[in-house]
């Protein structure tokens, strides 16, 4: 049996410590703020691109009809030159229930696989720029460890780069609070959040927090990293609550309870700060030494919630 020609890429997902939450240009996915993330070792997407009669998509062995993926393949054709139809076979090791953006690793892996398949010789920054059109958070999934997506001002200068931090023993305790599909997509959530009267203030504050975060990371000050990430996430979620267009929240009762316990953990002397994205699952920022004890502490109090420990992950790779 002959194997059909194809190319496989693996991208790990990332968690934003300084969030992307708003678009300056929705068509081009240009953000209102720069953002900073940590790539995670435990969760990834493996995507193979093969020749086919028409563009098709298979995720975890199931055929999917995703307009978003079709549109994205056409964006790549417009940007880099036409290529024949492809079959996209994707294996997602990002459990939906973990509340981590599988779109980040999915669009990063797809961009890299299509580029390699077509023999395009592109830098990581150029791959990041292209992936932005599929999903903003995908810009940051090409890089190991920490990455910064510079917001830029146009289609050409808005992409991510690595932010090198030597050996920071950071870990995340991921709380899988809800397995349900999110009710407000990140794009819709952003559109609505941008109607908050506090939005401009958030944009200004976020730039300051990013500068401070870079400093805290460079000084290996993990406590400050956690403080800034928690403050940035809570401010993002405040925007949703104060949106004038259909205010909403991703918090549910368990989310609130976990946030409370994170405070209790801090009072007990643990390094523990919470962050959260477009869903009710909380991610607790800590160090690798304390992560197992924090996981046990929470597992005892929340018997129905599952907890994972995640650590810094690698950049894009190929098979
Ligand atoms: O990648 P998108 O367009 O689904 O946006 C992701 C937004 C957040 O996950 C909430 C924040 C971020 O910076 O990843």
């Amino acid at each position: 049996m002959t194997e059909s020609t194809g190319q496989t890429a693996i991208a790990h997902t990332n968690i934003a410590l300084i969030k992307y939450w708003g678009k300056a240009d929705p068509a081009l996915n240009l953000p209102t703020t720069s953002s900073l993330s940590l790539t995670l070792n435990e969760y990834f997407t493996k995507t193979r691109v093969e020749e086919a009669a028409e563009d098709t998509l298979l995720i975890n062995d199931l055929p999917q009809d995703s307009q978003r993926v079709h549109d994205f393949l056409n964006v790549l054709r417009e940007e880099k030159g036409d290529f024949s139809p492809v079959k996209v076979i994707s294996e997602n090791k990002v459990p939906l229930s973990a509340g981590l953006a599988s779109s980040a690793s999915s669009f990063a892996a797809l961009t890299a696989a299509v580029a390699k398949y077509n023999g395009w010789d592109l830098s990581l920054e150029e791959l990041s720029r292209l992936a932005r059109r599929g999903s903003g958070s995908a810009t940051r999934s090409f890089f190991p460890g920490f990455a910064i997506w510079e917001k830029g001002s146009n289609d050409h200068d808005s992409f991510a780069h690595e932010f090198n931090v030597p050996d920071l023993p950071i870990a995340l305790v991921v709380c899988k609070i809800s397995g349900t599909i999110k009710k407000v997509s990140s794009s819709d959530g952003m559109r609505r959040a941008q109607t908050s009267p506090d939005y401009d203030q958030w944009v200004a504050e976020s730039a300051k927090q990013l500068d401070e975060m870079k400093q805290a990371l460079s000084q290996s000050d993990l406590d400050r990293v956690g403080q800034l990430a928690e403050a940035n996430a809570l401010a993002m979620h405040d925007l949703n609550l104060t949106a004038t267009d259909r205010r909403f929240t991703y918090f549910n009762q368990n989310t609130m309870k976990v946030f409370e316990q994170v405070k209790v953990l801090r009072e007990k002397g643990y390094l523990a700060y919470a962050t959260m994205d477009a869903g009710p699952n909380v991610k607790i920022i800590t160090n690798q030494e304390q992560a197992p004890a924090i996981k046990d502490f929470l597992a005892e109090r929340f018997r129905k919630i599952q907890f994972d420990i995640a650590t810094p992950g690698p950049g894009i790779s190929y098979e």
Side-chain angles (χ1 to χ4, degrees), residues 164-195:
N164 197 276
V165 179
D167 296 333
L168 190 70
I170 191 168
L172 281 190
V173 177
V174 178
C175 314
K176 301 184 194 176
I177 290 179
S178 160
T180 54
I181 305 289
K182 62 191 169 196
K183 291 198 194 79
V184 181
S185 71
S186 51
S187 289
D188 191 30
M190 287 182 205
R191 222 175 357 251
R192 286 153 72 172
Q194 285 181 257
T195 68

Side-chain angles (χ1 to χ4, degrees), residues 14-21 23 29 35-37 68 101 103-104 134-138 140 149 182 186-187 190 236-237 250 276-278:
N14 68 76
I15 173 88
L17 303 182
I18 298 291
K19 309 287 185 194
Y20 151 52
W21 199 239
K23 299 178 201 256
N29 252 356
S35 52
L36 181 147
S37 65
R68 192 166 165 194
S103 63
S135 165
S137 52
R140 303 179 307 235
W149 174 17
K182 62 191 169 196
S186 51
S187 289
M190 287 182 205
M236 164 193 150
H237 289 279
Y250 291 115
M276 197 178 120
D277 293 313

Side-chain angles (χ1 to χ4, degrees), residues 99-119:
L100 288 155
S102 60
S103 63
S105 49
S106 301
F107 281 97
L110 178 58
T111 308
V114 169
K116 195 90 164 180
Y117 173 77
N118 287 306

